[in-house]
Amino acid sequence: MTPRNPAAQRPHDVFHFTANLKPYTFLERPEDERFDAYLLSADYARGLSEMAAQVRQQQRELVADNGNVDLLRDFARRFRPEAAPLDEARKVWEDEHDGRYARPGQLPTDLSDAFRALAGKIAAASDAQVTAEHTRDALARQTSIAPTFLIGMEDLTLGTLATLNIEPEYASLPQDFFEKRIGRAVSLARRTEDGEFGPVSGQVLAGLHAVDFDSAVLAGGLAAEAGLKGVAVGLFGALTDRNYVDFRVQDGQVIELERAVPRPYLRVLEIVAGLVEGYRRAGRPRPAFHALGAGTPILLPLLALLGDGEPYFATDSTSPIVDGWSSPTISLYVDDPAPLKLKAYKIAASWIEGGRGWDCPCPHCTSFHERHPPNLDGARRWWKAEGKPRITKLLLERDGPLTPFLPYLGYAADDDLRREAGLARVGHNHWLLKKLEAEIRVRSAKPTALHAWVNELVQAYAAASPSQAWSTAVREAAALATSIAGRS
């Protein structure tokens, strides 16, 4: 196994944000801006093998992903035409019943049966896709970079259900449905460890999925009973969920929320907390753990509550790259007044209208603005001359009238400038996450200090967020994480 980063071996320096390995996240970064852990998908192992070797030579953690995220997207596209009408019928039923979200067992039998039948089709498709040959091929590419950790092969069913909003309460799925899907992933991990699919380098992290707290407890328990000492959980479905919910289920009991909230953050914490709780109930030590896909600033401290004292507890995400470079709406990460994602056009609006602007001291923002200073006076003159229109992201697109004045906050027409600004924003977002990572590590030395700090962040988030629904979701997620973290 590749030696660990000495910094990561210190007793409490166990929390990692794991950056995606790319030239601009590693080779083009100075030493003090590099992360202690990097993730590389099996899909890119051959093309970036030399860079991966440098990560190992510098004794940083290297995580080899199995490359299944594209398959999850393909499954979602494949089955969405069948899932969408069912979801629409569910919404119609809810509208006809006081607008409340359907609780377990409430949907009409024929609709529930249709949801359950579709779940069965997805499970069969996963069985057909995730074969021994598929697993061997992925493993060969993963082990070719000699990683510290490798993500085990997954069953794609539960991740696809979450993406398509096929919820347990809609489909009335029996316990053995979840046991079979999770058990398949656990078996694939054990067989991988045993060398059935080829030689293994690095510790295997079982590739698990869950859709809520209870299915995650089941997953953690099955993995623990199988003797697995490392797990990774796919959160693609949870984080792409655009639905709201006004209840959750824990140990089979419906827990009412104070209001309807966006599901993603709460679901992420339900799943991770459930996995931790599953190991606890099985009487086994907490495993090495990796949350696949969670990179929103507020999620890092929330997840850290569940990682006290673990040998490896990590999260990764392409979000800081997508948000800074390729998303239709540019977002920048901040930690003042709270860990937040701010839309660039809203920053521009505040700045132009006389409010707080963008004064980040990080090296990426500073360097870009030294080369391309913002022309705030010009932006304000244009805005006033046009009658002070509402500032939207369209005004900062490639042909937007404000983009030449504020190129950092928009998509410049010039290709080179647009790329330079994108790289600077990605660098900034990673800088902010690295800053949060460092603060988590310091406070993890004393769990009471970590919990107090996270509580302060949650309160600050609630005060700063323009959405009460998102604030409530974060409070609910923090309360659940705190509750599970406190169990011994």
Side-chain angles (χ1 to χ4, degrees), residues 44-127:
Y44 305 106
R46 178 176 297 180
L48 296 178
S49 59
E50 292 184 6
M51 198 186 314
Q54 292 186 51
V55 171
R56 298 194 309 275
Q57 289 165 5
Q58 295 182 15
Q59 297 186 326
R60 302 176 192 274
E61 309 281 19
L62 180 62
V63 182
D65 195 9
N66 56 32
N68 278 350
V69 68
D70 288 335
L71 280 178
L72 284 166
R73 291 192 180 100
D74 288 344
F75 266 50
R77 284 192 291 266
R78 176 177 169 184
F79 290 102
R80 184 166 282 115
E82 294 179 70
L86 300 181
D87 201 41
E88 186 60 33
R90 185 265 308 175
K91 292 176 182 177
V92 169
W93 183 91
E94 289 173 341
D95 288 341
E96 293 172 349
H97 291 77
D98 302 323
R100 284 170 56 84
Y101 294 97
R103 268 61 173 168
Q106 289 187 341
L107 286 182
T109 301
D110 59 344
L111 181 53
S112 183
D113 288 348
F115 271 116
R116 188 164 54 255
L118 181 53
K121 289 181 66 174
I122 293 169
S126 177
D127 289 344

Side-chain angles (χ1 to χ4, degrees), residues 165-179:
N165 199 33
I166 302 174
E167 306 297 342
E169 54 266 27
Y170 305 159
S172 297
L173 294 166
Q175 177 86 353
D176 61 5
F177 179 90
F178 293 99
E179 289 176 349

Side-chain angles (χ1 to χ4, degrees), residues 174-311:
Q175 177 86 353
D176 61 5
F177 179 90
F178 293 99
E179 289 176 349
K180 183 175 182 180
R181 307 329 306 174
I182 296 166
R184 187 163 184 255
V186 168
S187 174
L188 286 167
R190 288 294 329 181
R191 292 160 66 191
T192 300
E193 288 184 338
D194 293 343
E196 182 175 333
F197 302 115
V200 177
S201 62
Q203 180 179 350
V204 177
L205 303 179
L208 304 181
H209 285 273
V211 294
D212 59 8
F213 181 84
D214 287 359
S215 60
V217 170
L218 176 63
L222 291 175
E225 290 166 5
L228 297 176
K229 296 180 180 179
V231 299
V233 62
L235 297 171
F236 174 79
L239 288 163
T240 54
D241 189 347
R242 294 295 177 263
N243 293 285
Y244 278 58
V245 67
D246 56 7
F247 73 98
R248 63 183 184 86
V249 177
Q250 183 170 334
D251 294 326
Q253 301 299 310
V254 173
I255 297 175
E256 302 288 345
L257 306 180
E258 66 179 69
R259 60 163 297 147
V261 303
R263 196 195 294 263
Y265 293 175
L266 179 56
R267 177 174 252 171
V268 165
L269 269 296
E270 281 188 284
I271 291 171
V272 177
L275 282 165
V276 169
E277 178 67 359
Y279 267 80
R280 187 193 71 82
R281 293 182 187 182
R284 302 296 174 87
R286 293 186 185 182
F289 178 81
H290 193 109
L292 292 161
T296 303
I298 191 62
L299 285 179
L300 268 64
L302 292 180
L303 288 170
L305 291 172
L306 296 163
D308 291 354
E310 302 314 309

Side-chain angles (χ1 to χ4, degrees), residues 33 51 130 287 324 370:
E33 289 186 30
M51 198 186 314
V130 181
E370 286 176 350

